[in-house]
Amino acid sequence: MELRVAKTAGFCFGVKRAVEKVYKQLARKKGEKIYTYGPIIHNEEVIKDMQQRGVTVLRTEEELDAVTEGTVIIRSHGVEKRIYDKLEAKHLSVVDATCPFVKKIHTIVKKESGQGHFIVIIGNPNHPEVQGIRGWAGKDAAIVQNAEDIPTLSINPEKKVCIVAQTTFNYNKFQDLVEIISEKSYDIVVLNTICNATKERQTEARSIAEQVDAMIVIGDKHSSNTQKLFEICADACKDTYYIQTLDDLNLNQLGSVETVGITAGASTPNNIIEEVQNNVRVIF
Ligand code: F3S
């Protein structure tokens, strides 16, 4: 009998780095106030653990305004430049856990904007990462999520246009949107800022699911990337189980299978993956 665990299961590089920064601050600054601006990841188990150790999650800008001392950790999605300015003006200690791939987009957008170029961000306007990126561009910027948004763009034809993408945007859709914008014959520079972590995780999950008798997908029920992983695996393997923790898994269901695969969403911590893995191993 064989158990195959996806190498890409669980935290991506940026999420892992952000979570580690929180625990490092907790260890270094015992007794001091530590805040995260927004929940550091979309996993209630992890947030609960951090809160129990003394971290306060600031959920709104008003809550941030009320902070007078301590350390504020900026989460992996990043924030607008305005927020950095605010934190500096308040003389708060800042730990920047913005994913370096997101930070790179901030730098690009700031530079291109400074050169007088129009910035087009391809992404979801309601996502904090996209709002953060928008906050590094000047007035001449727009967010495009769908083809319908393109006719509403009002760009001075003399201006150069710089296009960037939300890190988790679908690559094919990005290409389609860039093509439509290109038809408008602007002077365009396209920077593909999509991060490969999500795609690699999905590709590996499908490949494992195709080769096993049963597949286990671990992640928060509200995590959209875990839901997507489940759909991909269920499509390739009819015995696919979606669990949040080991408690949701009925090990008897796996009694008669020969091979089992395991993957997990980007916000699933390693200890939950390991616990499932160890318990599945026991029945083999
Ligand atoms: Fe993760 Fe950073 Fe990519 S947070 S998905 S490694 S952009």
Side-chain angles (χ1 to χ4, degrees):
M1 289 194 188
E2 193 198 338
L3 175 63
R4 294 192 54 190
V5 183
K7 286 192 196 76
T8 52
F11 291 175
C12 62
F13 154 76
V15 168
K16 184 166 178 272
R17 184 174 168 273
V19 170
E20 280 172 3
K21 276 187 189 277
V22 175
Y23 284 108
K24 232 180 244 171
Q25 288 303 309
L26 278 167
R28 269 193 210 151
K29 299 183 175 163
K30 286 207 171 78
E32 290 178 37
K33 291 214 153 66
I34 298 174
Y35 302 91
T36 61
Y37 187 39
I40 201 95
I41 58 168
H42 289 132
N43 185 292
E44 278 312 312
E45 306 285 319
V46 177
I47 303 300
K48 243 188 269 162
D49 182 69
M50 288 177 178
Q51 284 174 324
Q52 274 160 10
R53 290 167 198 256
V55 173
T56 304
V57 181
L58 302 168
R59 298 195 186 254
T60 62
E61 199 169 333
E62 288 71 41
E63 286 181 13
L64 177 67
D65 289 339
V67 173
T68 52
E69 55 172 352
T71 300
V72 177
I73 304 171
I74 295 171
R75 60 188 178 154
S76 58
H77 295 126
V79 291
E80 299 96 307
K81 181 174 183 310
R82 196 174 59 76
I83 301 291
Y84 285 90
D85 296 342
K86 182 177 269 195
L87 292 166
E88 200 185 318
K90 286 169 80 68
H91 303 293
L92 293 166
S93 161
V94 177
V95 172
D96 194 352
T98 306
C99 174
F101 297 134
V102 177
K103 199 77 216 157
K104 192 175 141 205
I105 309 178
H106 293 174
T107 311
I108 293 171
V109 160
K110 185 175 173 230
K111 181 170 157 249
E112 295 280 335
S113 235
Q115 290 171 349
H117 304 156
F118 191 97
I119 310 293
V120 173
I121 305 155
I122 297 191
N124 173 356
N126 300 318
H127 194 284
E129 178 195 321
V130 174
Q131 290 165 352
I133 297 169
R134 174 68 185 83
W136 284 87
K139 274 201 296 304
D140 280 342
I143 300 168
V144 167
Q145 185 173 22
N146 296 304
E148 297 78 64
D149 300 331
I150 296 171
T152 65
L153 288 176
S154 123
I155 305 175
N156 175 347
E158 317 254 287
K159 276 205 176 244
K160 199 166 173 173
V161 177
C162 167
I163 305 178
V164 294
Q166 180 179 354
T167 53
T168 48
F169 205 77
N170 177 288
Y171 178 67
N172 293 335
K173 196 171 167 195
F174 172 71
Q175 268 187 321
D176 291 347
L177 294 173
V178 166
E179 213 174 291
I180 303 173
I181 299 171
S182 306
E183 283 164 10
K184 291 197 154 205
S185 66
Y186 298 119
D187 182 3
I188 287 175
V189 48
V190 181
L191 296 153
N192 174 7
T193 49
I194 295 171
C195 167
N196 279 334
T198 311
K199 194 160 177 256
E200 280 167 10
R201 184 196 318 273
Q202 292 174 353
T203 309
E204 191 191 17
R206 173 176 289 280
S207 140
I208 294 178
E210 279 168 354
Q211 297 166 41
V212 294
D213 301 324
M215 187 76 191
I216 301 166
V217 181
I218 317 166
D220 203 286
K221 283 276 185 261
H222 304 289
S223 149
S224 61
N225 80 83
T226 313
Q227 285 164 13
K228 181 87 191 139
L229 267 187
F230 172 72
E231 280 167 30
I232 290 170
C233 293
D235 185 49
C237 169
K238 66 173 180 31
D239 261 338
T240 296
Y241 304 97
Y242 189 160
I243 60 167
Q244 297 201 117
T245 64
L246 179 66
D247 296 343
D248 304 328
L249 185 65
N250 178 356
L251 290 167
N252 295 330
Q253 284 170 311
L254 301 175
S256 58
V257 299
E258 299 225 326
T259 48
V260 174
I262 295 179
T263 188
S267 46
T268 310
N270 237 351
N271 61 325
I272 297 186
I273 304 172
E274 270 165 20
E275 196 184 13
V276 173
Q277 190 180 328
N278 293 340
N279 279 275
V280 172
R281 240 183 255 284
V282 167
I283 59 161
F284 272 0

